[in-house]
Amino acid sequence: MSFDLAARLAARRAENLYRHRPLLESPQGPEVVVDGQPLLAFCNNDYLGLANHPQVIEAWRAGATRWGVGGGASHLVIGHSSPHHALEEALADFTGRPRALLFTTGYMANLGAVTALVGQGDTVLEDRLNHASLLDAGLLSGARFNRYLHNDAASLAKRLEKATGNTLIVTDGVFSMDGDIADLPALAREAKAKGAWLMVDDAHGFGPLGAHGGGIVEHFGLSQEDVPVLVGTLGKAFGTAGAFVAGSEELIESLIQFARPYIYTTSQPPALACATLKSLELLRSEHWRREHLKTLICQFRHGAEQIGLELMDSFTPIQPIMIGDAGRAVRLSQMLRERGLMVTAIRPPTVPAGSARLRVTLTAAHSEAQVQLLLKGLADCFQQLGPEPSHA
Ligand SMILES: Cc1ncc(COP(=O)(O)O)c(C=O)c1O
């Protein structure tokens, strides 16, 4: 008996689903060097253009000089240092919640929050298009796990009728592969009616959404009572790395006691927390970044519609172009790359079968001229490739 890995890899290749890691040889930003090739990139999640910001870099440098580079231990041993604590307080203030708890990654924040809150005998209900980390968390929790139809409060309500034990409803704020946003007011109503809790992972909403970058809850004006468990990640619009859960005193103390992905891991480097404190300050104060991003999103959508591209229902920086066939999506991505443009093809299992897409992301660091170049490249590639055979 042996693991037949070669056959599994060959099968993945044959289905056009094989994944490669492009090698980034420059800092993150619109103009990058990938595998030795200069490219104009529309695929990172650095929505506000802070990942390579001089002030954030300087804060990191000063933090490393003052605090060293390693966390050194878990938070509960001796790894919880003053910059981590200051960042938690700043994030609590930013989200308007009594407390926030810093995690090393968003994946771990989601695993930690869900598994600490529900277990055997409880119920976890998730949007079927939730991020993989939320789905994995639901499965790992041991609670009864069920997925409702995408963004469909009626479908959720049906599942709530059969829920037992403590019930946690879990949704992305901005759906990472579609760019649409959760109908949070409706979900919050259903949750309240059944005494369930609503947990929102707003990884892609903090920064771009809300008048002050406060994400989907600010966008809809929702309170802690509506959304008791609020998750944000720091590797996207914040431009650094890590994540947080914000909520009540009891929630945060419970996570410190029971969230295994919080307890059993080394704290993030304190210098990283120093950098994030600076990026949080920029995210809150530099409104022009959100305004510029909005202008680019309108420009892109208008231009793409003129070319006849199939866009999705999104006003966020995530602007996927629906393709369908995985091979066709990969081919288009390659053709764009030959023209100096980098747009990632997203294929199953990341998205449902038959819904491969080009995931365009826009950032405040892009210029209108760069978006124009993207539109021109897309028009050329779609024209050259011609219609899909089945539609021809
Ligand atoms: C919606 C969502 N949640 C969580 C994560 C995971 O966050 P992290 O990259 O910090 O692990 C991601 C992507 O990375 C995401 O898109």
Side-chain angles (χ1 to χ4, degrees):
M1 276 275 287
S2 70
F3 294 95
D4 198 354
L5 297 184
R8 281 180 74 189
L9 293 171
R12 183 159 270 223
R13 245 188 219 106
E15 290 168 327
N16 281 318
L17 298 180
Y18 205 86
R19 301 172 196 239
H20 297 275
R21 299 179 303 168
L23 185 64
L24 180 64
E25 295 164 324
S26 64
Q28 200 56 266
E31 288 173 7
V32 291
V33 179
V34 176
D35 299 324
Q37 187 189 4
L39 291 168
L40 183 54
F42 292 90
C43 46
N44 71 40
N45 302 316
D46 179 26
Y47 302 123
L48 296 184
L50 297 177
N52 190 31
H53 192 289
Q55 288 183 43
V56 181
I57 296 169
E58 186 41 45
W60 174 296
R61 198 174 277 136
T65 304
R66 170 91 168 75
W67 300 98
V69 291
S74 66
H75 283 274
L76 292 175
V77 178
I78 191 179
H80 185 65
S81 62
S82 300
H84 298 130
H85 205 73
L87 178 56
E88 288 183 346
E89 287 177 346
L91 288 167
D93 178 63
F94 173 54
T95 54
R97 308 290 156 120
R99 283 187 70 183
L101 188 70
L102 194 57
F103 281 75
T104 310
T105 70
Y107 201 110
M108 289 167 73
N110 285 336
L111 284 192
V114 174
T115 57
L117 291 173
V118 288
Q120 267 191 3
D122 296 327
T123 304
V124 59
L125 300 174
E126 301 210 16
D127 188 293
R128 64 184 298 274
L129 295 190
N130 271 355
H131 187 258
S133 57
L134 294 171
L135 299 173
D136 291 356
L139 291 168
L140 185 67
S141 70
R144 191 169 147 190
F145 175 74
N146 220 308
R147 295 195 290 174
Y148 57 88
L149 296 179
H150 177 50
N151 227 351
D152 185 333
S155 166
L156 168 65
K158 262 195 226 149
R159 284 159 178 78
L160 274 170
E161 279 167 21
K162 296 187 203 135
T164 54
N166 288 331
T167 301
L168 189 64
I169 299 163
V170 184
T171 183
D172 279 19
V174 175
F175 289 89
S176 54
M177 295 300 139
D178 298 65
D180 57 339
I181 69 171
D183 184 0
L184 276 197
L187 299 181
R189 265 196 305 277
E190 294 299 337
K192 267 195 210 159
K194 292 286 178 200
W197 268 20
L198 180 57
M199 167 170 161
V200 177
D201 169 5
D202 205 17
H204 300 270
F206 279 113
L209 289 196
H212 304 94
I216 191 167
V217 290
E218 187 183 18
H219 175 79
F220 282 122
L222 296 177
S223 67
Q224 177 173 306
E225 209 188 304
D226 301 309
V227 180
V229 189
L230 182 59
V231 179
T233 67
L234 304 171
K236 304 186 194 308
F238 286 83
T240 57
F244 63 89
V245 179
S248 69
E249 181 72 31
E250 293 75 20
L251 172 72
I252 300 306
E253 279 305 312
S254 301
L255 296 182
I256 293 172
Q257 302 306 317
F258 305 119
R260 293 166 65 88
Y262 179 77
I263 299 166
Y264 298 108
T265 196
T266 302
S267 64
Q268 64 169 224
L272 181 56
C274 297
T276 307
L277 273 163
K278 176 52 74 178
S279 71
L280 173 59
E281 188 188 312
L282 296 172
L283 180 152
R284 294 184 81 169
S285 60
E286 296 198 345
H287 297 296
W288 68 264
R289 293 178 186 275
R290 273 179 285 284
E291 293 305 318
H292 179 56
L293 194 47
K294 258 187 225 158
T295 306
L296 298 183
I297 293 166
C298 288
Q299 181 195 353
F300 176 77
R301 287 190 70 86
H302 181 70
E305 272 155 21
Q306 282 189 330
I307 305 168
L309 303 182
E310 187 180 343
L311 294 182
M312 301 181 74
D313 179 20
S314 162
F315 67 88
T316 71
I318 303 169
Q319 290 292 331
I321 302 166
M322 182 53 81
I323 306 297
D325 176 65
R328 189 174 160 85
V330 172
R331 180 79 195 104
L332 279 161
S333 176
Q334 280 164 349
M335 289 168 71
L336 286 165
R337 195 153 165 174
E338 283 155 20
R339 287 167 173 73
L341 296 162
M342 186 159 179
V343 180
T344 314
I346 305 285
R347 296 161 287 169
T350 305
V351 291
S355 73
R357 63 201 68 178
L358 291 174
R359 181 176 182 266
V360 171
T361 55
L362 299 168
T363 78
H366 285 113
S367 66
E368 291 180 40
Q370 288 171 332
V371 172
Q372 208 46 49
L373 284 174
L374 171 65
L375 289 166
K376 170 85 174 68
L378 285 166
D380 290 349
C381 291
F382 273 84
Q383 196 184 20
Q384 193 186 327
L385 195 61
E388 236 182 307
S390 57
H391 295 164

